Amino acid sequence: MQQVTEIDWDILAPELIIMIACALLVILDLVLPSMISRRWIGLFSLVAVVTAGVWIVTQFGHSPVALLENTYRLTPVTLIWKLILLSGTFLVLLISLGEDQEEFAPNSGEYYYLLLAAVLGGMFMVSSADLITLYVGLELFSLSSYVLVGIRKRRGDSNEAAWKYVVLGGMSSAFILYGMSFLYGLSGSTNLANIQQYIVKAQGTYDWIIYLSFFLMIVGFGFKLASAPFHTWVPDVYQGAATPITSFLSVVSKSLAFALLFIMIGVFDGIDEGWESIFLPTLMIMAALSMIIGNTAALRQKNMKRLMAYSSIAQAGYILIPIATLNKLYFPSTFFYLFVYLFMTIGAFAVIMLVMRQEKNEDMKAFAGLHQRSPWLALAMTIFLISLAGIPLTAGFFGKMLIIMGALGMEHLWLIVIMVITTIVSYYYYFSIIRQMYFRKANTTRRIRTSWPIGIAISMSAIATIGFGVFPEWILNLVESLLFK
Amino acid sequence: MNISGELIAFFILSVSAIGGAVFMMNLTRVMHMALALAFTFFSIAGVFILLDAPFLAVTQILIYTGAVSILMIFGIMLTKHKDEENPPSFDIKKLWSLIGVGAFFAVVLWIIYQSPFFTSEETVTDFSVKMLGKSIFQQYMIPFEVTSILLLVALIGAAVLAKREEKRK
């Protein structure tokens, strides 16, 4: 057995950086006198996230390593997941730093180190090949995000959101754990590679146990992915949480859930019979339901955050297609779409946050005449929205094209038809926001105040959304060079 | 089926475990509920002893019967609440959830019964606390450390959500 002292700490460095930063900030928050703004803590965590991200980039091309019997592993795939998580957290931290509303939580240090703890759990989760690390990492992430949702405790809607999130989140974790326990019971091992080998041997005799375990886990994953039919919590929680946290949930939490789905799908991979006839169709139905329910329910929303919540349910449906059809392109297309989704979603939430803060109104009408008041913000929002809708020249378009191309190869035409139709439906609500911004008269002529961190976040997201749309090969080459070297 | 001391002990322990759980749901006073729950935990510890897992049994008593129950009682003492709950009312929603849970239970039970378990007896390798320690602090060191951060987060989270707001100037 490998000894702890023999570990090459270089490999664990990104996690260690975040862990140390988190611990230091807890102490710093305690020692610093109360006059000093807690924004410094936010700045420090931003530095930690960037350092960890840069370290991960330097690890590109590292040969795969497994530590301590696979409780931790470093492979190209884990590096990409971690890069997605850290980029999302980076942007969320930036827009949190720009929020200076009195009642908002970033004035407290806890907000930042809980965010760091959440991403730390996520990083451990994606890089584990063992059920125990997987679950502990997942719970660290979930627990921190429950607190983050409820951190604005003087607001009723925030409390309601946190309560719903913690109850349903706890239930979904229980479902995942129950499913995992059957796998452990069958194979007698928590190691994913051992479980996979055992499942291949056990099919025929223990088929039903394997299916039961799969379905239990799918219920839990469906919740974490915010995909239909497990989506009912999404609008309330997204509306009640502070906007940076909403974007964190809709980007980082969703990416993490996809990572979990990928890892567990890999375990069930060896099964011949259930694979084609049961597992993949289940995922396809989830994808189809998410697209239909998300896009049609979004049509009726007037509240911006609820609209984005339903849009995020629909997007989860699109991202589920590559894994549900399991085509040749499924790795590159999922990663591409998640990267792009990250930028356009956080960008859109940042603009929504700015407008809502000034107008004290979460309604779509708050966007009326934004074009006359702050033309740059209106332009950025338009870029994000047309990318979410999937109009050519944006990254969202290319992402959707990759998904459709991949699914076409597998002859799942009905899924593509649903995707195209629901995408067209989604044009209606995305464009109604654009219509508000450009063709409605503003009530006031006041400009929207922007602060530098939000400005940076919005412009980075806008540049990325256009840039990856015009040069999609940047991401694709990166993914390919990592995966198929 | 031959009746042995083990079977009788198992019977008594499982009846008291299930009985505790049923009482916990039916009692109306919160304090009585906590006691019934502690009783269930204690009986489960007995089952662990029957299964030749003394370490697990001791841990069960220490953590569940001891710590968790005490924590609950403290929680009850420190929070304001109505001591008596209203007697449970019955409505159509509850009927649906009963049907749902019942169906789920039936499916799980059916699957477990039709799977050929208990085919052969495995020999259990000797267990020692030393081995347990090695496995936690060698093989599972990373999840162990992550768990400590998890506890830290839970602590901070509880403090954040429960602490009294300072007066704004």
Side-chain angles (χ1 to χ4, degrees):
Chain A
M1 191 192 281
Q2 194 183 18
Q3 300 290 311
V4 174
T5 43
E6 291 165 4
I7 291 179
D8 184 3
W9 294 104
D10 236 26
I11 296 165
L12 276 168
E15 280 84 359
L16 287 177
I17 291 170
I18 301 282
M19 195 189 268
I20 291 168
C22 188
L24 271 182
L25 287 177
V26 174
I27 300 168
L28 204 65
D29 191 26
L30 197 70
V31 194
L32 276 182
S34 57
M35 315 100 76
I36 294 177
S37 165
R38 289 306 185 252
R39 227 153 272 278
W40 290 107
I41 291 185
L43 226 48
F44 192 98
S45 27
L46 200 65
V47 172
V49 168
V50 172
T51 321
V54 170
W55 203 294
I56 283 173
V57 173
T58 63
Q59 280 178 335
F60 281 173
H62 201 291
S63 51
V65 197
L67 293 182
L68 300 172
E69 317 217 334
N70 251 330
T71 48
Y72 181 95
R73 63 181 170 177
L74 186 154
T75 62
V77 181
T78 65
L79 288 179
I80 301 178
W81 283 123
K82 278 188 250 184
L83 200 63
I84 293 180
L85 295 182
L86 286 173
S87 322
T89 314
F90 172 75
L91 288 177
V92 170
L93 277 172
L94 264 184
I95 61 175
S96 311
L97 276 171
E99 173 71 284
D100 54 5
Q101 204 173 332
E102 178 86 355
E103 60 159 340
F104 185 57
N107 300 323
S108 69
E110 292 94 355
Y111 176 87
Y112 294 105
Y113 43 78
L114 284 173
L115 211 56
L116 284 189
V119 76
L120 179 71
M123 285 162 79
F124 272 117
M125 202 212 83
V126 296
S127 46
S128 79
D130 191 285
L131 288 181
I132 295 180
T133 328
L134 207 68
Y135 187 72
V136 171
L138 178 70
E139 276 308 279
L140 179 55
F141 182 89
S142 316
L143 218 63
S144 316
S145 43
Y146 301 150
V147 181
L148 284 171
V149 169
I151 207 164
R152 296 191 299 177
K153 55 187 170 178
R154 289 196 297 176
R155 290 185 53 147
D157 56 349
S158 191
N159 289 340
E160 186 198 330
W163 179 242
K164 275 194 178 142
Y165 194 40
V166 80
V167 170
L168 289 171
M171 214 171 72
S172 79
S173 293
F175 269 106
I176 294 176
L177 200 59
Y178 198 26
M180 284 177 171
S181 76
F182 279 110
L183 288 184
Y184 173 65
L186 265 187
S187 62
S189 165
T190 54
N191 187 306
L192 294 183
N194 293 349
I195 292 175
Q196 196 204 351
Q197 282 169 8
Y198 193 89
I199 284 182
V200 174
K201 269 192 288 176
Q203 52 179 324
T205 10
Y206 295 108
D207 276 347
W208 282 103
I209 296 261
I210 296 170
Y211 297 157
L212 177 67
S213 136
F214 175 80
F215 277 104
L216 287 170
M217 278 196 264
I218 278 294
V219 172
F221 294 162
F223 172 88
K224 307 262 178 208
L225 288 170
S227 83
F230 312 104
H231 66 282
T232 41
W233 60 280
V234 180
D236 292 336
V237 173
Y238 279 24
Q239 190 186 6
T243 316
I245 296 304
T246 310
S247 62
F248 185 74
L249 291 183
S250 96
V251 170
V252 181
S253 176
K254 205 186 285 279
S255 307
L256 197 68
F258 272 103
L260 190 60
L261 187 67
F262 271 44
I263 294 171
M264 291 321 292
I265 283 289
V267 172
F268 289 102
D269 200 352
I271 300 169
D272 315 318
E273 208 178 302
W275 190 243
E276 287 285 330
S277 57
I278 296 181
F279 296 166
L280 295 184
T282 311
L283 290 175
M284 282 185 221
I285 290 169
M286 275 169 71
L289 278 180
S290 304
M291 289 187 287
I292 295 171
I293 295 177
N295 280 321
T296 47
L299 290 178
R300 283 177 297 145
Q301 299 306 319
K302 290 280 164 261
N303 181 303
M304 280 304 288
K305 276 165 102 177
R306 288 185 87 86
L307 189 144
M308 286 301 285
Y310 281 110
S311 143
S312 114
I313 295 170
Q315 303 277 344
Y318 305 144
I319 313 175
L320 264 172
I321 292 177
I323 179 101
T325 53
L326 214 67
N327 51 61
K328 268 181 253 142
L329 284 172
Y330 90 99
F331 248 81
S333 54
T334 309
F335 282 130
F336 185 85
Y337 205 89
L338 278 175
F339 254 117
V340 169
Y341 174 73
L342 185 158
F343 287 110
M344 57 199 188
T345 310
I346 296 187
F349 271 117
V351 179
I352 292 173
M353 186 175 92
L354 283 176
V355 174
M356 270 169 26
R357 185 175 68 190
Q358 188 132 341
E359 298 297 310
K360 307 236 180 317
N361 183 0
E362 296 193 345
D363 206 83
M364 200 193 280
K365 290 206 176 65
F367 277 84
L370 189 69
H371 166 63
Q372 294 146 12
R373 301 165 58 192
S374 306
W376 287 108
L377 267 188
L379 180 69
M381 189 66 180
T382 311
I383 291 173
F384 301 137
L385 288 174
I386 62 174
S387 179
L388 281 167
I391 306 283
L393 273 186
T394 57
F397 167 73
F398 197 81
K400 277 191 179 149
M401 213 173 75
L402 268 182
I403 290 176
I404 290 179
M405 266 158 50
L408 270 178
M410 300 302 282
E411 296 173 345
H412 292 295
L413 265 181
W414 63 279
L415 210 55
I416 301 171
V417 170
I418 291 180
M419 179 169 171
V420 171
I421 292 175
T422 51
T423 301
I424 293 168
V425 170
S426 77
Y427 287 173
Y428 177 80
Y429 60 85
Y430 288 129
F431 279 101
S432 67
I433 304 171
I434 296 178
R435 201 177 59 211
Q436 288 281 350
M437 291 194 300
Y438 285 95
F439 303 117
R440 293 281 179 279
K441 264 187 78 127
N443 299 325
T444 57
T445 48
R446 270 185 311 150
R447 287 179 59 83
I448 303 280
R449 274 182 304 119
T450 325
S451 51
W452 63 267
I454 300 192
I456 294 175
I458 291 178
S459 34
M460 272 175 75
S461 308
I463 291 168
T465 310
I466 291 290
F468 292 143
V470 183
F471 306 105
E473 65 269 21
W474 287 351
I475 296 183
L476 291 175
N477 285 346
L478 173 75
V479 171
E480 230 154 84
S481 70
L482 281 174
L483 294 181
F484 310 109
K485 202 169 36 141
Chain B
M1 191 192 279
N2 48 345
I3 293 177
S4 61
E6 197 184 334
L7 190 73
I8 297 170
F10 175 74
F11 186 72
I12 294 172
L13 285 170
S14 45
V15 164
S16 44
I18 297 170
V22 171
F23 268 111
M24 195 234 137
M25 285 188 290
N26 281 333
L27 289 172
T28 46
R29 281 176 180 267
V30 202
M31 197 62 113
H32 293 174
M33 285 181 184
L35 283 178
L37 196 63
F39 195 67
T40 303
F41 287 149
F42 197 73
S43 315
I44 291 173
V47 176
F48 282 142
I49 289 181
L50 283 184
L51 289 172
D52 237 358
F55 182 79
L56 211 55
V58 173
T59 322
Q60 170 84 13
I61 292 177
L62 273 180
I63 294 179
Y64 282 93
T65 320
V68 172
S69 308
I70 296 288
L71 192 75
M72 276 183 190
I73 291 171
F74 264 108
I76 294 166
M77 273 164 44
L78 292 178
T79 50
K80 274 186 227 151
H81 56 82
K82 275 182 278 171
D83 201 21
E84 294 262 352
E85 255 186 20
N86 294 329
S89 60
F90 198 80
D91 56 25
I92 195 80
K93 247 187 207 165
K94 278 192 180 148
L95 186 72
W96 279 114
S97 40
L98 184 73
I99 292 172
V101 171
F104 179 67
F105 180 70
V107 168
V108 172
L109 215 61
W110 177 76
I111 289 174
I112 289 174
Y113 266 97
Q114 63 90 49
S115 298
F117 284 127
F118 320 116
T119 43
S120 63
E121 269 185 31
E122 293 269 329
T123 44
V124 181
T125 44
D126 282 331
F127 168 80
S128 68
V129 179
K130 193 177 164 190
M131 279 164 61
L132 186 76
K134 269 197 173 157
S135 130
I136 288 184
F137 296 108
Q138 288 288 345
Q139 187 185 348
Y140 293 112
M141 192 211 58
I142 290 173
F144 178 77
E145 293 299 332
V146 180
T147 312
S148 63
I149 300 180
L150 185 97
L151 288 178
L152 181 72
V153 163
L155 209 65
I156 293 172
V160 168
L161 295 181
K163 84 176 169 203
R164 195 164 289 160
E165 286 279 328
E166 293 151 37
K167 286 271 183 309
R168 305 259 160 193
K169 281 151 210 156

